[in-house]
Amino acid sequence: MAARGLAQALATVCLSASLSWVGRGSAPLQLPGRGPPYSSSFSSHLFHQSPVIMSASNGADENSHNKARTSPYPGSKVERSQVPNEKVGWLVEWQEYNPVEYTAVSVLAGPMWADPQISERNFSPKFNEKDGHVERKSQNGLYEIENGRPRNPAGRTGLIGRGLLGRWGPNHAADPIITRWKRDSSGNKVIHPHSGKNILQFVAIKRKDCGEWAIPGGMVDPGEKISATLKREFGEEAMNSLQKSSAEKQEMEEQLHKLFSQEHLVVYKGYVDDPRNTDNAWMETEAVNYHDETGETMDNLALEAGDDAGKVRWVDISDKLKLYASHSQFIKLVAEKRGAHWAGLAGSFLPFLPSCCFCTRSLECCCDIIGESSNKA
């Protein structure tokens, strides 16, 4: 046991150092015996793997594992057991750890997207591998199995079970980040007066479940390719494709195909610090940036909130963004890669500035956003 613990600790430290180096803009990570660096059908120029795995050694980074420990658990009154930063890592001995168990009724009802309970006789999941059409491999490598249950690679959350998540272990999502340059009435790119860099915009939705603004992404269906998920989720949440007629859907599909078949950028793959995470189930995502350099493609796509989205709009990118889960971190990576403005935005009292609020109109529309009195997309 002691030898195994030491080996695990050394592996975690080595992986932490490697991921930290990747986070500074190096080439994709390649580990001995793990095959070539990440590659796929995507035209990928930048790839950040989740550094949150570092918390599994001696504690939690202040920003890497916070939302996964918040109470009450989303959609419930369930309070997690409190987990201090220094007790997050599984390698830190904590005999008194007594997490609350909770799996939502909607998950226990057995919908198609959810696993059965571990205790059910006919359920024998193949963790850390492709299990039929269900992907149970983690983007962050192998995860531990304890008492038949997978263990969150980022550490303790104060809650066991699955909460609102359907799968034991990793629950895979895809987040399409659609961007364009902000332009004035003459079609010229708008430059931020402080940073001197062009302002980038992205399509944001307001989630119905929690009221937070987010990237319009969603869960990968069993057997579905990531590229298909990215396009489907954007169509459903940012263009209301589920409510369109057959003719409208066909026209929309042609427009989306043009957008999603262009060169794009995989900005992140891995664990997500999500408030739905538990000790036994957690969110992972692949965030991909599709950039409309001229703005002509997006001019032909009408934004309309649908499915899980209450609102949708173009939002100016800056360090003042307050987004769901780890989405602000993904947006920052896009801004850095595109050489766009990020820090130094005036008016830091605002959660973010939508496209109407910078250089083109008065502050009234920003207050409109804060007060939620505008439904304009």
Side-chain angles (χ1 to χ4, degrees), residues 351-363:
F352 63 73
L353 296 184
S355 59
C356 65
C357 296
F358 204 91
C359 303
T360 56
R361 288 204 209 166
S362 68
L363 192 61

Side-chain angles (χ1 to χ4, degrees), residues 11-69:
T12 302
V13 171
C14 292
L15 179 57
S16 300
S18 298
L19 292 179
S20 176
W21 182 66
V22 170
R24 293 198 293 270
S26 67
L29 176 66
Q30 182 174 10
L31 296 177
R34 295 292 295 279
Y38 167 77
S39 63
S40 73
S41 57
F42 289 111
S43 177
S44 174
H45 301 289
L46 175 69
F47 169 43
H48 285 248
Q49 190 172 12
S50 171
V52 76
I53 208 76
M54 291 160 47
S55 70
S57 54
N58 297 314
D61 180 270
E62 290 186 0
N63 299 314
S64 68
H65 198 60
N66 279 336
K67 294 185 179 182
R69 291 181 285 159

Side-chain angles (χ1 to χ4, degrees), residues 287-310:
V288 184
N289 175 220
Y290 295 85
H291 179 65
D292 186 7
E293 180 65 26
T294 65
E296 295 176 358
T297 300
M298 291 306 302
D299 283 346
N300 297 320
L301 295 176
L303 298 181
E304 180 182 350
D307 195 25
D308 299 327

Side-chain angles (χ1 to χ4, degrees), residues 75-259:
S76 75
K77 296 182 180 179
V78 176
E79 296 285 328
R80 299 174 186 264
S81 298
Q82 293 187 357
V83 181
N85 285 344
E86 65 273 13
K87 297 289 188 179
V88 167
W90 294 112
L91 298 183
V92 178
E93 187 175 353
W94 189 12
Q95 295 182 356
E96 296 80 14
Y97 181 51
N98 186 29
V100 175
E101 176 144 13
Y102 173 68
T103 299
V105 174
S106 59
V107 176
L108 294 176
M112 292 182 61
W113 47 267
D115 289 333
Q117 287 289 79
I118 289 289
S119 58
E120 292 195 18
R121 180 177 302 177
N122 296 326
F123 181 53
S124 300
K126 298 177 181 178
F127 293 122
N128 285 306
E129 61 181 282
K130 189 72 173 287
D131 187 8
H133 292 298
V134 178
E135 181 58 83
R136 299 192 189 277
K137 290 188 295 185
S138 169
Q139 304 278 19
N140 294 105
L142 298 178
Y143 49 87
E144 295 281 329
I145 308 299
E146 186 175 75
N147 298 323
R149 295 186 177 193
R151 199 166 69 172
N152 189 322
R156 300 180 176 96
T157 68
L159 190 144
I160 57 176
R162 285 175 288 162
L164 289 169
L165 299 179
R167 304 294 179 192
W168 295 98
N171 288 253
H172 294 283
D175 291 308
I177 305 172
I178 311 302
T179 57
R180 70 180 184 186
W181 296 111
K182 183 170 185 177
R183 297 178 185 273
D184 59 23
S185 57
S186 300
N188 300 313
K189 295 178 182 178
V190 176
I191 299 175
H192 192 274
H194 295 165
S195 67
K197 296 181 178 180
N198 296 326
I199 297 175
L200 198 64
Q201 297 179 318
F202 83 106
V203 176
I205 58 135
K206 186 174 184 181
R207 295 173 61 107
K208 288 181 180 179
D209 58 354
C210 62
E212 293 186 79
W213 288 86
I215 298 166
M219 306 305 295
V220 180
D221 290 338
E224 186 178 38
K225 293 183 177 180
I226 294 291
S227 56
T229 306
L230 292 163
K231 183 167 67 172
R232 173 177 57 80
E233 287 292 339
F234 185 79
E236 291 175 359
E237 296 191 346
M239 299 182 67
N240 198 22
S241 62
L242 296 177
Q243 302 300 319
K244 301 298 183 183
S245 66
S246 297
E248 289 173 326
K249 286 182 179 179
Q250 182 175 353
E251 181 181 358
M252 183 181 297
E253 176 62 29
E254 293 175 356
Q255 296 172 331
L256 288 175
H257 177 74
K258 182 178 180 181
L259 174 64

